[in-house]
């Protein structure tokens, strides 16, 4: 997919987006193929106020993840937020995110079964390994929350190239959105050695990896996972 095609796809679904969203897109980061969108002003101020209450105190290389789950049926599973808050989030954002998934990888759109809504607090020295995201993540969405300045998401040429080629820069209330491409969407993250790093991970998921492998055209992996019912 070239940039012109992606821009046309994004323009076609703008009516689904909340009015406050400022959306841009790109197919590469520093010449590495990595189709993605950046959304500024993702959450409302009221939502941000509630989310910020749940930043965990972490130091050094610590990481703390507070898990919540929203089923496609609307059922909420969370020890962090009350159901009313996550129901409102789901009603506001599920449709635009599904529309984005449909344009980034249309073959995955019908596979959606549930959403993650996780609070991720990492200490100043935490570093996360290079990865391309697991197949069950149909649409990956990370929203930077606080502090005002930190590292964003680093983009890599390969799993074994530790020097990033570029970065999706940090900005509070900015979302970095993509649909994984097997062995291509290599990325990592790390705090800036001074401050905690606090994000929301808001993914659209399927439970069986083999379904995603089929949608990606990765038929050998599909067969492997299908035979294991994984």
């Amino acid at each position: 997919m070239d940039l012109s095609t992606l821009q046309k796809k994004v323009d076609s679904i703008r009516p689904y987006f909340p009015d406050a969203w400022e959306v841009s897109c790109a197919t590469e980061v520093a010449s590495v193929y990595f189709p993605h969108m950046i959304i500024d002003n993702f959450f409302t101020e009221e939502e941000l106020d509630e989310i910020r209450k749940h930043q965990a105190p972490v130091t050094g290389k610590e990481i703390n993840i507070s898990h919540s789950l929203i089923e496609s049926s609307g059922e909420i599973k969370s020890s962090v937020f009350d159901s009313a808050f996550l129901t409102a989030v789901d009603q506001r954002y599920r449709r635009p995110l599904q529309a984005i998934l449909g344009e980034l990888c249309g073959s995955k759109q019908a596979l959606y079964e549930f959403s993650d809504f996780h609070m991720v607090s990492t200490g100043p020295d935490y570093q996360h390994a290079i990865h391309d995201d697991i197949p069950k993540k149909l649409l990956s969405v990370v929203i930077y929350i606080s502090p005002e300045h930190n590292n964003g998401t680093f983009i890599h040429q390969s799993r074994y190239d530790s020097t990033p080629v570029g970065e999706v820069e940090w900005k509070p209330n900015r979302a970095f959105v993509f649909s994984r491409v097997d062995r291509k969407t290599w990325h990592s993250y790390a705090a800036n050695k001074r401050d905690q790093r606090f994000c929301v991970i808001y993914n659209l998921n399927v439970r069986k990896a083999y379904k995603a492998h089929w949608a990606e055209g990765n038929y050998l992996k599909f067969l492997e996972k299908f035979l294991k019912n994984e």
Side-chain angles (χ1 to χ4, degrees):
M1 180 173 13
D2 60 31
L3 180 57
S4 176
T5 300
L6 180 57
Q7 287 175 330
K8 289 177 182 177
K9 287 174 174 286
V10 172
D11 288 341
S12 73
I13 58 174
R14 285 187 188 275
Y16 296 110
F17 297 168
D19 292 340
W21 278 13
E22 296 179 8
V23 180
S24 60
C25 62
T27 55
E28 296 181 344
V29 177
S31 77
V32 172
Y33 184 69
F34 203 123
H36 67 276
M37 294 172 56
I38 295 174
I39 305 172
D40 288 333
N41 306 320
F42 187 89
F43 290 120
T44 67
E45 286 301 320
E46 293 77 13
E47 290 163 349
L48 282 171
D49 287 343
E50 179 62 28
I51 288 166
R52 289 188 186 107
K53 295 176 185 177
H54 301 284
Q55 180 172 358
V58 286
T59 60
K61 297 180 180 181
E62 293 178 338
I63 181 170
N64 181 281
I65 304 177
S66 300
H67 297 273
S68 299
L69 184 147
I70 307 168
E71 297 282 358
S72 60
S73 64
E75 180 186 358
I76 304 295
K77 300 175 183 178
S78 177
S79 60
V80 184
F81 298 102
D82 62 38
S83 295
F85 175 79
L86 289 178
T87 296
V89 165
D90 185 47
Q91 291 174 347
R92 181 174 174 83
Y93 300 115
R94 188 200 296 189
R95 189 178 185 190
L97 292 180
Q98 285 184 310
I100 291 170
L101 175 59
E103 300 305 332
L104 290 178
C105 188
S107 59
K108 294 181 181 180
Q109 190 178 33
L111 301 180
Y112 170 76
E113 293 180 334
F114 70 99
S115 302
D116 295 322
F117 195 84
H118 302 330
M119 309 292 104
V120 182
S121 304
T122 55
D125 299 316
Y126 181 84
Q127 297 183 25
H128 197 88
I130 300 169
H131 58 292
D132 61 350
D133 272 5
I134 61 174
K136 294 178 184 181
K137 294 182 181 180
L138 305 173
L139 188 72
S140 298
V141 185
V142 54
I143 306 103
Y144 309 140
I145 304 298
S146 65
E148 188 67 26
H149 302 286
N150 213 310
N151 295 327
T153 304
F154 299 120
I155 307 302
H156 299 263
Q157 184 77 46
S158 75
R159 171 178 284 173
Y160 308 105
D161 189 352
S162 60
T163 301
V165 299
E167 179 185 359
V168 177
E169 294 185 354
W170 181 276
K171 181 180 179 182
N173 206 20
R174 167 175 286 174
F176 170 43
V177 185
F178 64 97
S179 181
R180 75 179 293 276
V181 180
D182 190 43
R183 290 172 289 182
K184 290 186 181 294
T185 48
W186 298 111
H187 60 287
S188 69
Y189 65 91
N192 62 6
K193 302 291 186 181
R194 298 185 304 275
D195 306 300
Q196 295 181 23
R197 187 179 185 275
F198 182 46
C199 299
V200 172
I201 303 297
Y202 187 3
N203 300 322
L204 305 188
N205 304 285
V206 65
R207 286 192 162 83
K208 297 295 185 180
Y210 73 79
K211 296 180 180 180
H213 283 306
W214 180 268
E216 292 176 352
N218 193 344
Y219 301 123
L220 289 177
K221 279 287 187 181
F222 160 78
L223 184 59
E224 175 190 340
K225 297 297 183 181
F226 179 78
L227 292 174
K228 296 177 181 179
N229 194 30
E230 295 178 349

